[in-house]
Amino acid sequence: MNPEIGALFVQVAYIAASAAFILGLRGLTKPDTARRGMQLAAMGMLLAVIGTLLNHQIISYDLIIIGLVIGTAIGLPMGLLVPMTAMPQRIAISHMFGALAVTLVGIAEFLHYRDVPGGPGVIKMVALGFETVFGALTITGSFMAFGKLQGFISGRPITFPGQKIINAAIFVGAIGLWIYLVATQSGGPAASGDNGILLFGLMTVLALVIGVTLVLPIGGADMPVVVSLLNSYAGLAASATGFAIGNNVLIVAGALDGASGFILSILMSKAMNRSFANVLFGAFGGEVAAASTKSSEGLTTRSVSAEDAAMRIGYARNVIIIPGYGMAVAQAQHAVRELAELIEKRGGRVRFAIHPVAGRMPGHMNVLLAEANVPYDHLFDLDEINEEFHACDVALVIGANDVTNPAAKTDPASPIYGMPILNVQDAEQVIVVKRGMATGFAGIENELFYLEKTSMLFGDAKSVLSQVVSEVKAL
Amino acid sequence: MFSVIATALGVATVAITLVSGPSTTAASGTAGGTLVDAQIVEVYVFLLAAFTGYQIITKVPPLLHTPLMAATNAISAISLVASLVIAGAERPFYINVMGAVAVAAATINVVGGFVITDRMLKMFKKTEAPK
């Protein structure tokens, strides 16, 4: 092929891919158009890959084919088999793979420019440094997040004295090396006494260490923010790759990913009532245990039997179900859906109130309920449903705790004061399905459980709800 | 409405970049005026794409935030195209091998990411019309 026509084709393919990505994400603004949008984005990706394979710089396809085959052999089963409950882990580990690719590209490009007369120039060297630092810290950070979500690394925040100072020192060290490399390597390696490779390697290692130390002190419940943030870093690193090699489709795709991760991190921080900085440097779980002031002494709860609960739920006209992560742990989604269908069959109305941090990552609870065949028009987020609790006969809380705690509104001394909560206490009656009286992630008592209108239904969510379902059927 | 305009702007910018010079296609290391120009345009591309992304993604409902993250993860695995060049270009063998590892890692995300996003989106259904 004529090389000029070839180059033009590559660029056209990249433009089409950029457009397909943007339109694909636009499809995600509505559930009806989401699937087709993502199929379009996948086509764009395919086009970009085909275009690249025609690139005149590529002289050998052996290693490319090996890489593609290995990647597909791992990626396809991961995509097809990962259960929906494990989605946060799978997203975390995929950030690691993405960052690994970007970091390797960064290192390879840096080494390549040492053979190019004139070197990479200042701008490309800045981009290469950014790409490698953020890529490397995302590799280890995502692996740590994966470990905490999967459970082979303790979900408890791990802290030690002087941690923040040490973290800051490592970070400053990596950034300092980056600046030094920009100053010395932009024009290519110096003729004698050159230690560019050593320093670049050191910078990469420091960035890998930052990833570990950044995630270590963050508790398991804060993972939604961390995963979103790492999503953003992976995107920004990909964008920097685009700057480093002069490829616009990488810049566009990376910017989209970076923006998305950033928005989600902000949303998650808000939903957990904390600033970004607080999540990253606060080591929440450790501090709060000491901060819990209200004790449950002198307060009593009312517990009900499944039979009694079934009676109340079965005759209710307007039911709002508040699912929490506890429901997913107990695998009770299908029992919940069955109960919802039964209530509707009996003429009642059922809606689900989804708190932004109800799952382990943004939107996780919606996916779990959709998997259990709950229609998405039954799922409502906090702002949509919070005014509706007044008119609700029964609010059924399943495995949720902190997100329903009225102390967030009434008790300025509470560590969760100011956090947006679901107004469950406004409902006429509240039934709470719970394993026992253990506190939630924030480690504080929930006043909701001691209200007069609240009944506690103790037991494993799945078996208790199955009991309720059969009792309602018998009504 | 904003997002439509922003989308058009983003695409237009990419097109302008293309027309403005072939220097964006090859990183051949030729220092000089055109290279800086091309890199300024790259900054425009980044800003407009980030703005477009911000406008669109704030409109994605919380309902679809998990698929959104899976999708952007798959899309940013476009770094595959950079990995492909490094794995196949005329470079020392160990660099080609690094490229191949990068290709494998990025491919995991491309293939797995789109498959899993589709798997999730397939599950979101409306209430069936009463029979």
Side-chain angles (χ1 to χ4, degrees):
Chain A
M1 202 192 316
N2 182 325
E4 283 211 3
I5 295 176
L8 185 66
F9 176 77
V10 172
Q11 288 303 311
V12 170
Y14 285 176
I15 292 180
S18 306
F21 294 159
I22 292 172
L23 292 172
L25 286 180
R26 216 170 101 75
L28 274 179
T29 53
K30 289 194 191 73
D32 300 340
T33 55
R35 231 184 135 193
R36 196 176 311 158
M38 287 326 297
Q39 284 160 356
L40 182 69
M43 293 309 290
M45 180 69 75
L46 187 65
L47 200 60
V49 171
I50 292 173
T52 307
L53 289 175
L54 300 174
N55 186 316
H56 62 93
Q57 287 184 57
I58 295 179
I59 52 160
S60 153
Y61 289 90
D62 301 349
L63 285 169
I64 291 178
I65 291 167
I66 293 173
L68 287 174
V69 169
I70 293 175
T72 310
I74 299 172
L76 197 60
M78 258 178 82
L80 288 172
L81 303 177
V82 169
M84 291 299 153
T85 40
M87 194 55 63
Q89 291 94 300
R90 128 79 223 187
I91 298 281
I93 200 78
S94 70
H95 291 154
M96 186 193 83
F97 287 126
L100 178 66
V102 165
T103 309
L104 285 171
V105 169
I107 297 171
E109 284 294 305
F110 175 76
L111 295 174
H112 171 62
Y113 274 119
R114 295 176 64 80
D115 300 332
V116 175
V122 174
I123 297 176
K124 284 197 194 306
M125 192 58 222
V126 169
L128 278 174
F130 184 93
E131 171 190 349
T132 309
V133 168
F134 277 78
L137 77 87
T138 305
I139 294 176
T140 46
S142 297
F143 184 77
M144 294 293 296
F146 171 73
K148 287 198 173 197
L149 288 162
Q150 187 73 37
F152 66 80
I153 297 174
S154 163
R156 299 200 140 274
I158 298 168
T159 51
F160 51 85
Q163 190 169 30
K164 283 173 197 174
I165 295 164
I166 293 172
N167 285 359
I170 302 172
F171 190 70
V172 168
I175 301 295
L177 280 171
W178 173 22
I179 293 170
Y180 181 77
L181 282 164
V182 170
T184 59
Q185 293 288 309
S186 297
S192 64
D194 173 57
N195 49 6
I197 292 181
L198 183 72
L199 293 178
F200 197 86
L202 186 62
M203 179 187 78
T204 311
V205 170
L206 284 182
L208 288 169
V209 174
I210 294 169
V212 177
T213 56
L214 193 70
V215 181
L216 260 185
I218 301 177
D222 284 335
M223 283 303 131
V225 186
V226 176
V227 171
S228 309
L229 193 68
L230 291 168
N231 182 27
S232 185
Y233 288 168
L236 291 176
S239 217
T241 311
F243 281 99
I245 64 168
N247 185 326
N248 284 317
V249 72
L250 271 167
I251 297 178
V252 170
L256 294 173
D257 193 21
S260 167
F262 184 69
I263 291 170
L264 291 177
S265 327
I266 301 269
L267 286 177
M268 289 299 106
S269 305
K270 272 191 191 153
M272 295 202 279
N273 191 31
R274 259 152 323 133
S275 70
F276 234 9
N278 189 314
V279 171
L280 286 182
F281 307 115
F284 190 59
E287 291 170 22
V288 174
S292 64
T293 48
K294 292 222 169 182
S295 77
S296 57
E297 275 174 54
L299 295 167
T300 48
T301 58
R302 277 148 287 272
S303 69
V304 286
S305 64
E307 199 180 353
D308 202 10
M311 189 80 85
R312 299 186 201 186
I313 295 168
Y315 289 108
R317 311 276 51 168
N318 191 343
V319 178
I320 297 179
I321 298 177
I322 301 95
Y325 193 66
M327 180 200 76
V329 173
Q331 289 291 314
Q333 299 92 299
H334 288 273
V336 171
R337 191 251 311 154
E338 215 182 321
L339 181 63
E341 281 177 354
L342 260 179
I343 300 168
E344 289 188 329
K345 221 177 262 173
R346 296 173 59 88
R349 182 180 186 197
V350 181
R351 283 171 292 178
F352 288 82
I354 316 283
H355 192 275
V357 291
R360 270 291 181 279
M361 67 178 290
H364 191 200
M365 190 55 65
N366 298 293
V367 172
L368 294 175
L369 289 170
E371 190 192 22
N373 283 322
V374 176
Y376 68 76
D377 44 15
H378 284 40
L379 310 177
F380 295 87
D381 51 309
L382 189 92
D383 297 332
E384 290 174 317
I385 201 139
N386 241 355
E387 298 305 314
E388 306 283 326
F389 279 102
H390 285 289
C392 148
D393 304 330
V394 175
L396 182 59
V397 180
I398 305 166
N401 190 346
D402 296 334
V403 299
T404 64
N405 193 340
K409 288 199 163 164
T410 55
D411 178 12
S414 170
I416 61 164
Y417 182 69
M419 173 169 134
I421 58 151
L422 291 159
N423 297 333
V424 178
Q425 78 279 5
D426 292 346
E428 199 170 312
Q429 308 182 45
V430 181
I431 298 176
V432 179
V433 178
K434 214 171 171 316
R435 242 174 199 295
M437 281 311 288
T439 53
F441 292 121
I444 49 175
E445 286 295 338
N446 189 342
E447 291 166 24
L448 179 76
F449 300 159
Y450 304 103
L451 294 179
E452 199 139 333
K453 62 171 84 163
T454 305
S455 314
M456 306 296 290
L457 181 52
F458 288 113
D460 171 70
K462 191 176 178 178
S463 62
V464 165
L465 286 170
S466 308
Q467 255 173 286
V468 173
V469 165
S470 50
E471 292 288 346
V472 173
K473 273 184 188 158
L475 282 177
Chain B
M1 193 57 215
F2 265 125
S3 60
V4 176
I5 298 167
T7 309
L9 272 177
V11 173
T13 317
V14 179
I16 292 165
T17 321
L18 211 205
V19 176
S20 69
S23 50
T24 48
T25 55
S28 53
T30 47
T34 51
L35 199 60
V36 174
D37 286 351
Q39 280 162 343
I40 290 298
V41 175
E42 282 168 6
V43 176
Y44 276 91
V45 172
F46 176 78
L47 282 178
L48 288 170
F51 178 72
T52 309
Y54 189 86
Q55 290 296 328
I56 294 177
I57 286 153
T58 45
K59 290 195 179 61
V60 174
L63 178 73
L64 295 178
H65 275 170
T66 296
L68 169 71
M69 202 185 275
T72 53
N73 185 244
I75 287 173
S76 76
I78 185 76
S79 53
L80 175 59
V81 302
S83 316
L84 287 172
V85 174
I86 290 170
E90 196 175 356
R91 306 259 174 104
F93 182 70
Y94 72 95
I95 288 189
N96 287 150
V97 171
M98 280 169 72
V101 175
V103 167
T107 307
I108 291 173
N109 276 6
V110 170
V111 176
F114 280 114
V115 167
I116 212 160
T117 309
D118 192 61
R119 235 178 94 205
M120 280 191 270
L121 292 173
K122 209 160 54 183
M123 301 183 318
F124 284 92
K125 293 184 206 86
K126 264 192 193 153
T127 314
E128 286 169 36
K131 285 158 224 165

